Amino acid sequence: MYFKPLIDYALAQNLCVQEDACFLENQLLDLYHADSAEELPALSLSDHPKLGELLGAYTDLAAQRGILQGDGITARDLFAARLMGYFTPLPSAVALEFSIRGMQGQRQATDWFYHLCLANGYIQKERIAKNVCWQTETEFGTLDMTINLSKPEKDPQAIAAAAKAQSVSYPKCQLCRENEGYAGRMDHPARQNLRVVPLRLQGEPWYFQYSPYAYYNEHCIVLDARHIPMKIDRACFAQLLDFVSQFPHYFIGSNADLPVVGGSILSHAHFQGGRDTFPMAEAEIAEPVTFGGFEDLDAGIVNWAMSVIRLAGTDKERITELAEKILNAWRSYSDEARGILACTGDTPHHTVTPIARYRGGKYELDLVLRDNHTTPEHPLGLYHPHAELHHIKKENIGLIEVMGRAILPARLKTELEAVRQWILDGMPDTDDEQITKHADWVRSFRGDYPDDADWETVLREETGKVFKEVLCQCAVYPMTEDGLCGFRAFLETVQG
């Protein structure tokens, strides 16, 4: 059997059973436009190839036989997903297995589903491993730092092909359920190996899947069955708490529903969760707060770089009710002396980033106050990374980063290495843009370290400090006495 190495991998990963082997061999011969294995060249593989090696070899073969849409990484990814689609059970079978395992406990169900998505290559494990990760200690706890190298940048061939292609509006977005099994295009990823499982949140249909480029352990996406915009409201809070009641081993949160402070896809309501503990979750209450009429709930301001209110209790409905009151109060609250504006004309500026978890026998809901208004001095947002930090981080601060995990651009890997070498060379004059953008930053701390310092470690440490400052700049109420005074003044407006 020509495809025995790939079929053996699938057997070992429980993606198929031995009775499927002959059928799969024939299906793959057809995929490669071959009537028999004798038409195909011998492959050079190691004794125990991993999935990446297998996909590389069989995609090379597809390129040789003219099956790919091109020879760039996008075309190769489209084919790899197509290939692994043959080894992925039908959606109905996946949903049934998830349901059956869930009867033994939802952790068993997610364990099985997560393994499936790793084994069939939907979760890009080998690419994710390329990310550069470290931690930085701060007064707010340990921040998790990541230079994101897992998502491939679009290759020129894909960009050119997409520009020439006829506009297609199916699926409506990359989150829609209709992506399941979709072959993809040069401007839309292939999803033959994507599987989603149905859920019900507050009686409404939703779907559960994993992220192909996970930023943390068991990074999942929970998406509305409908293609409707993100909206933070009482229903959202109730849905988040419903999810953690069904999956208490996972946290879940939502990006904010306004530009600048929201996520990259605001057109489709969705949440992100997973089995991980973020730095913000480990932060303790800095100052307890009591809300009239809600004395049965624990509440307080969290000792965190951003402005966070934590609610906790055993009654989900009570937490939802108080969260709605806080949100409604925040949407209409202004404090112009502190640069806090609820709206400009009819344009709203205030919302929250909510995160839910179940811990210690209680439900918790963190509400992170967000404000997206701009000023002439800060045209991208007053509570957005300021211009002096853009050499490290310019992008929006969404859910994952709010919780203390930096997702930094891939360019920093080469830039920080160039800066390291520049320091070792004595910091000579240069017009290298990779260095000049960071030069003032480096000069600000160069004197704090000896000449023989480990500059790779130093640069990572200082980058972590910049990320902490990014979070602080996104805080509407900094953790200072004046900031806490303003925070207290807002909370006093929340009526029980």
Side-chain angles (χ1 to χ4, degrees):
M1 293 177 68
Y2 186 82
F3 297 98
K4 186 176 186 302
L6 188 56
I7 293 171
D8 283 347
Y9 167 85
L11 287 168
Q13 298 296 326
N14 295 315
L15 294 175
C16 64
V17 295
Q18 188 62 51
E19 287 78 5
D20 298 327
C22 183
F23 173 83
L24 288 166
E25 174 80 5
N26 290 330
Q27 291 288 296
L28 294 176
L29 285 172
D30 180 61
L31 172 64
Y32 283 86
H33 305 157
D35 292 325
S36 70
E38 285 72 24
E39 298 178 28
L40 302 175
L43 294 179
S44 177
L45 293 168
S46 63
D47 291 340
H48 302 286
K50 293 183 178 180
L51 181 59
E53 181 183 353
L54 291 167
L55 291 179
Y58 285 111
T59 303
D60 287 344
L61 174 64
Q64 294 167 20
R65 297 184 66 80
I67 299 171
L68 299 192
Q69 298 181 35
D71 58 5
I73 190 170
T74 301
R76 294 178 66 86
D77 283 353
L78 289 171
F79 182 81
R82 181 182 180 185
L83 183 58
M84 292 310 296
Y86 286 88
F87 297 93
T88 304
L90 287 172
S92 58
V94 172
L96 178 60
E97 185 69 20
F98 188 88
S99 177
I100 291 171
R101 289 178 182 263
M103 294 176 185
Q104 308 301 317
Q106 292 291 18
R107 183 170 296 190
Q108 285 86 341
T110 57
D111 283 350
W112 172 81
F113 189 38
Y114 184 66
H115 170 77
L116 170 68
C117 297
L118 281 171
N120 78 351
Y122 183 72
I123 299 174
Q124 301 284 331
K125 182 179 179 180
E126 293 180 35
R127 286 185 181 167
I128 294 166
K130 297 177 181 178
N131 290 343
V132 179
C133 304
W134 71 96
Q135 293 184 317
T136 298
E137 297 296 329
T138 75
E139 64 268 37
F140 300 109
T142 304
L143 300 181
D144 298 325
M145 308 297 299
T146 303
I147 296 177
N148 179 27
L149 303 175
S150 59
K151 275 191 177 181
E153 297 182 5
K154 282 192 175 181
D155 57 82
Q157 188 179 75
I159 295 171
K164 295 177 182 178
Q166 183 178 356
S167 177
V168 178
S169 59
Y170 178 86
K172 291 181 180 178
C173 76
Q174 291 189 25
L175 290 177
C176 285
R177 193 271 171 94
E178 288 75 17
N179 282 276
E180 189 176 33
Y182 188 61
R185 312 181 296 269
M186 294 300 272
D187 63 346
H188 191 103
R191 291 292 184 250
Q192 287 101 325
N193 56 343
L194 165 67
R195 294 295 179 267
V196 302
V197 295
L199 299 177
R200 297 197 77 82
L201 298 180
Q202 293 294 291
E204 298 292 332
W206 287 66
Y207 290 99
F208 175 99
Q209 68 176 74
Y210 286 104
S211 171
Y213 297 103
Y215 293 130
Y216 50 85
N217 188 43
E218 298 186 33
H219 182 172
C220 68
I221 301 171
V222 180
L223 54 108
D224 198 308
R226 303 163 295 172
H227 181 77
I228 59 172
M230 300 274 289
K231 186 177 182 181
I232 303 298
D233 57 9
R234 182 187 183 117
C236 169
F237 302 145
Q239 289 157 353
L240 294 174
L241 291 166
D242 191 359
F243 180 87
V244 295
S245 73
Q246 296 181 49
F247 300 88
H249 57 299
Y250 275 14
F251 81 90
I252 194 166
S254 174
N255 268 304
D257 55 353
L258 293 178
V260 179
V261 296
S264 58
I265 300 178
L266 296 178
S267 61
H268 194 133
H270 68 285
F271 307 137
Q272 296 182 72
R275 194 189 302 193
D276 214 330
T277 301
F278 279 75
M280 191 178 81
E282 297 183 317
E284 297 181 350
I285 297 296
E287 187 171 301
V289 177
T290 300
F291 293 95
F294 292 91
E295 290 82 3
D296 53 317
L297 299 181
D298 300 326
I301 297 170
V302 179
N303 183 26
W304 187 241
M306 294 184 68
S307 305
V308 187
I309 306 157
R310 179 170 295 158
L311 310 178
T314 57
D315 189 329
K316 292 179 293 181
E317 180 60 27
R318 292 285 287 164
I319 295 174
T320 299
E321 184 180 354
L322 179 53
E324 182 186 33
K325 288 181 178 293
I326 294 170
L327 173 64
N328 289 341
W330 178 241
R331 287 200 188 277
S332 62
Y333 185 80
S334 292
D335 184 346
E336 294 189 22
R338 290 188 166 86
I340 297 171
L341 296 178
C343 59
T344 301
D346 294 330
T347 302
H349 295 312
H350 284 180
T351 186
V352 300
T353 300
I355 301 101
R357 65 186 73 86
Y358 185 77
R359 178 165 60 179
K362 291 184 178 181
Y363 296 98
E364 292 183 357
L365 185 65
D366 288 352
L367 303 177
V368 187
L369 304 183
R370 309 303 299 272
D371 180 322
N372 78 342
H373 89 271
T374 63
T375 67
E377 184 181 1
H378 301 291
L380 296 181
L382 178 59
Y383 301 104
H384 177 86
H386 294 176
E388 71 272 13
L389 305 184
H390 288 178
H391 66 105
I392 296 294
K393 180 69 178 179
K394 184 179 181 179
E395 298 78 13
N396 293 354
I397 301 304
L399 170 68
I400 297 170
E401 292 177 310
V402 162
M403 296 187 293
R405 181 158 299 170
I407 309 298
L408 302 176
R411 62 176 174 81
L412 283 179
K413 184 176 188 295
T414 54
E415 289 179 5
L416 293 181
E417 174 55 29
V419 168
R420 185 188 72 84
Q421 189 59 53
W422 178 62
I423 295 172
L424 292 174
D425 292 342
M427 299 170 59
D429 291 340
T430 180
D431 58 2
D432 184 346
E433 194 266 342
Q434 287 192 110
I435 296 171
T436 56
K437 68 168 70 172
H438 299 292
D440 288 345
W441 169 60
V442 173
R443 293 188 182 102
S444 73
F445 62 74
R446 172 61 184 85
D448 297 337
Y449 299 93
D451 292 343
D452 62 351
D454 179 345
W455 290 105
E456 179 180 40
T457 300
V458 168
L459 288 169
R460 289 184 178 185
E461 180 70 14
E462 294 295 333
T463 299
K465 292 178 183 178
V466 171
F467 178 60
K468 184 209 73 172
E469 187 60 28
V470 163
L471 295 181
C472 289
Q473 289 182 354
C474 294
V476 291
Y477 296 113
M479 287 297 289
T480 62
E481 186 50 47
D482 181 67
L484 286 171
C485 182
F487 209 154
R488 296 183 198 109
F490 159 64
L491 293 176
E492 288 173 2
T493 69
V494 180
Q495 299 301 312

